[in-house]
Amino acid sequence: MQEPRQPDPDGQLPDGQAPDGRLPVGGAPGGQDALARALALGVLRDASLGDRLVVRARLGDGAQDALGTLVARTADTLTIETRRGPVEVLLADVVAAKPVPPPPAPRPRRR
């Protein structure tokens, strides 16, 4: 017979579940955040120079989004050329990333 699992002082079991089987708010430890980060890093790994991407990275207590073309990549950083100029992003700070379609064509001027 298996020993019953004992909660820690905070009432959580070693796998992050509460004794009644519920997961804590936010899911399992590192759950959704870790999954989103892993998916983002996969997108960035598969991206080629010239691909259009949006990348969200931690910046202080908030986040910064960079929307543009991937123009450079090193082992630790990537550079996105945005409308406002190049933005260098540390891979360690990446929270999310995804490919995006090209910008829409300019609209004709109204007369």
Side-chain angles (χ1 to χ4, degrees):
M1 183 165 169
Q2 190 175 6
E3 287 285 320
R5 299 182 303 167
Q6 298 297 315
D8 66 16
D10 295 327
Q12 299 294 316
L13 295 172
D15 60 4
Q17 289 186 335
D20 63 3
R22 293 177 294 121
L23 286 174
V25 174
Q32 284 188 325
D33 291 344
L35 179 59
R37 179 169 161 68
L39 290 172
L41 293 176
V43 165
L44 296 175
R45 180 193 65 233
D46 295 342
S48 300
L49 294 181
D51 285 354
R52 188 167 153 86
L53 305 167
V54 61
V55 178
R56 176 166 289 172
R58 284 176 295 184
L59 182 65
D61 290 337
Q64 169 186 354
D65 290 342
L67 170 64
T69 304
L70 179 63
V71 293
R73 176 177 26 215
T74 68
D76 300 325
T77 65
L78 53 94
T79 303
I80 305 288
E81 183 67 40
T82 70
R83 289 183 359 187
R84 294 184 175 179
V87 174
E88 189 170 283
V89 178
L90 292 173
L91 289 175
D93 293 340
V94 170
V95 175
K98 67 180 182 178
V100 293
R107 293 189 221 175
R109 291 184 150 237
R110 288 185 139 179
R111 292 183 188 218

